Amino acid sequence: MFHHHAIHAGARLAAVAALLLLAFAGPASAHGDRPPPAAADSAVTANPSGWLQTSTPSGRIDTGNPFFASLGSNGRSCDSCHRQAEGWTISAAEVRERFRQSNGTDPIFALVDGAVSPLADVSSVYARRIAYAMLLKRGVLRIGMPMPAHAEFKLTAVDDPYGYASARELSLFRRPLPATNLIWDTAVMWDGRETFAPFKPPMDAGIDIGDIDASLASQARDAILGHEQAGKVPDASVIDRIVEFESHLFTAQMVDRQAGQLNEDGGMGGASILAQQRFWVGINDTLDNDPTGEPFDPRAMRLFDSWNDPRASLSRDPRDRARAAIARGEQLFNHMPIDISGVAGLNDVTGVPVIHGSCSSCHNAPNIGNHSVALPVNIGIADASRRTPDLPLYTLTRYSTGEVVRTTDPGLAMLTGKWADIGKFKGPILRGLAARAPYFHNGAAATLMDVVDFYDSRFDIGMSARQKSDLVAFLSAL
Ligand code: HEC
Ligand code: HEC
């Protein structure tokens, strides 16, 4: 069964790749601030560390697709929260700019899920700045979800700075996920709740490629009814066109301000190369569950192997040094030892209290960076210990034992009602990162350096300043 799907995916990708090669044929030599001439079109957008590329089979972005149309009652479209230049999500910086230009009346600023509470005062610019503070600061939307029925735990206390959340509706502040590179998603949404897997609970066994379109269709329907506040379910043809559009987008950083063109001199960056990436559900699985039987290889990222030249670190050319830093960062991602402990979904499932791994133990899908099977894990982002005063805090009590956990977001447990699933989220696809700060499900990390600092302290790695900046250089080039 898996082989069949792998072949199917391969054929689909080969067709896409052939079209892309046509679209992107031609010289690609520019580097630095200017976009490369071969792609000086709507497919390339600027961001703080360079230029982002989105590839499509036709070579252009079809803005006539209903993805860009307002389909509900509040003026929003998918494009309100999934923007090309921000890696098909939003960045907090761009949302602040939108607020400034519209005095907080752009459709993204809607009470339903844009504000800290649906009852917030939005009657003046001043009031709107307070009501939309979380969107402006962290680029997060308020996902309202009721406590799950028949859960193993109950909600025993709520500390919501905005005075709204209750068991009827928890306020969960979450970042939009990129609506690109979706053919490699193994779980749809942070908690996998839109993953269409008829015989399996969400995020247990992952999705196979035949199911991704069904998952995305369900997701799009819910987004139109929820985020866009449509009164009725949209036509199937509209949903089909949206899914067709978003599932043929491939996005990656293409030019780095310091390192130049990321697909030069053996570099494998950029979206055209990404679109040809080999993938099947379970590829390079850390727990050796790859259906093809290939063993796990920690070298999940192989984009900048050719730049791995120790002499370049001493070069007079700043571009050579920048490339060397990216290559060192990639090595760190693959090999820097991390003692993984206390991660629900990993240490408990394997029965191994300390897993000697690396970043690629969890981000294992080759050159894509998500989990190649749906692997919901709790790395601690929603822990009470990391709670900041702007986030609600929920106290959950387990019926059977009286145990208590405090969390800012129960994650997967909101779907399954399972105590063991509290705080579990998927590891997202790691391409196009530079365009879409902040990071993690609740936008807790303002920068990629903050992401690296989180891992350094969470797993007690003891990274040097140079290791940190190398890793950031690599992540920025994805
Ligand atoms: C108001 C903002 C908003 C609008 C409008 C919106 N989304 Fe989203 N989108 C989000 C948020 C927030 C999430 C993550 C929610 C979660 O995981 O709990 C998300 C997640 C997704 C995902 C999941 C990606 C993944 O890797 O799991 C897809 C696909 C997506 N949206 C597509 C769409 C489409 C298509 C539309 C239009 C029909 C749309 N969105 C409209 C905010 C929005
Ligand atoms: C134990 C598994 C695990 C390990 C090890 C791990 N990650 Fe993650 N990573 C995750 C999960 C799960 C998330 C999402 C967590 C959340 O938002 O709650 C994540 C999120 C991220 C994000 C944010 C992506 C986004 O779109 O917001 C980045 C960047 C990242 N990881 C990089 C790294 C790097 C670099 C390392 C090594 C230093 C690493 N990860 C090690 C599981 C892991």
Side-chain angles (χ1 to χ4, degrees), residues 325-388:
I326 289 172
R328 287 194 306 269
E330 183 176 69
Q331 294 298 309
L332 290 168
F333 187 94
N334 292 338
H335 299 297
M336 179 179 65
I338 302 180
D339 287 342
I340 301 169
S341 64
V343 174
L346 214 52
N347 297 101
D348 49 352
V349 167
T350 56
V352 182
V354 181
I355 297 171
H356 300 292
S358 67
C359 303
S360 62
S361 305
C362 295
H363 300 283
N364 60 5
N367 299 331
I368 302 169
N370 58 336
H371 305 150
S372 74
V373 295
L375 176 74
V377 295
N378 180 356
I379 60 170
I381 302 294
D383 276 9
S385 63
R386 290 193 179 76
R387 187 252 183 139
T388 44

Side-chain angles (χ1 to χ4, degrees), residues 6-56:
I7 290 161
H8 176 73
R12 195 154 118 182
L13 278 185
V16 171
L19 288 162
L20 286 169
L21 286 177
L22 289 174
F24 284 95
S29 58
H31 57 79
D33 282 358
R34 282 165 299 118
D41 60 29
S42 62
V44 178
T45 53
N47 58 57
S49 65
W51 298 88
L52 186 79
Q53 178 192 22
T54 291
S55 284
T56 66

Side-chain angles (χ1 to χ4, degrees), residues 45 52 83-89 177-180 251 431-432 435-436:
T45 53
L52 186 79
R83 304 218 143 178
Q84 181 189 354
E86 280 68 48
W88 298 94
T89 165
L177 281 154
T180 186
T251 303
R431 301 303 300 261
R436 58 174 161 98

Side-chain angles (χ1 to χ4, degrees), residues 190 359 362-363 377 381 425-428 436 439-441 455:
W190 284 104
C359 303
C362 295
H363 300 283
V377 295
I381 302 294
F425 296 91
K426 73 166 174 177
R436 58 174 161 98
Y439 307 97
F440 294 128
H441 71 265
Y455 283 110

Side-chain angles (χ1 to χ4, degrees), residues 76 78 81-82 174 185 189-190 193 219 227 426:
R76 285 175 172 172
C78 310
C81 301
H82 299 280
R174 295 185 185 167
D185 243 354
M189 313 305 259
W190 284 104
R193 70 184 176 281
Q219 193 285 330
H227 299 306
K426 73 166 174 177

Side-chain angles (χ1 to χ4, degrees), residues 139-286:
V140 287
L141 280 295
R142 193 190 63 87
I143 308 293
M145 263 195 235
M147 282 292 286
H150 316 297
E152 293 172 4
F153 51 87
K154 63 182 168 186
L155 182 67
T156 42
V158 175
D159 173 5
D160 177 4
Y162 316 110
Y164 179 75
S166 71
R168 193 174 41 82
E169 186 176 327
L170 268 58
S171 291
L172 309 170
F173 290 95
R174 295 185 185 167
R175 295 270 299 134
L177 281 154
T180 186
N181 300 327
L182 289 168
I183 60 167
W184 302 305
D185 243 354
T186 49
V188 180
M189 313 305 259
W190 284 104
D191 51 16
R193 70 184 176 281
E194 294 283 8
T195 312
F196 180 80
F199 306 113
K200 309 156 202 156
M203 293 179 82
D204 264 14
I207 192 169
D208 61 47
I209 216 79
D211 287 340
I212 189 72
D213 284 358
S215 302
L216 294 176
S218 161
Q219 193 285 330
R221 241 183 330 267
D222 289 348
I224 292 165
L225 292 170
H227 299 306
E228 298 192 34
Q229 294 181 287
K232 63 176 182 57
V233 180
D235 288 351
S237 63
V238 171
I239 301 292
D240 285 352
R241 284 182 64 202
I242 291 176
V243 172
E244 171 75 12
F245 171 78
E246 65 182 358
S247 62
H248 287 81
L249 300 174
F250 300 92
T251 303
Q253 195 76 349
M254 181 188 204
V255 177
D256 181 89
R257 282 194 204 289
Q258 260 110 48
Q261 187 90 19
L262 292 165
N263 60 0
E264 246 175 30
D265 296 335
M268 306 275 278
S272 314
I273 294 176
L274 171 62
Q276 303 166 51
Q277 180 58 47
R278 180 169 167 263
F279 176 84
W280 54 82
V281 173
I283 188 172
N284 202 35
D285 181 47
T286 320

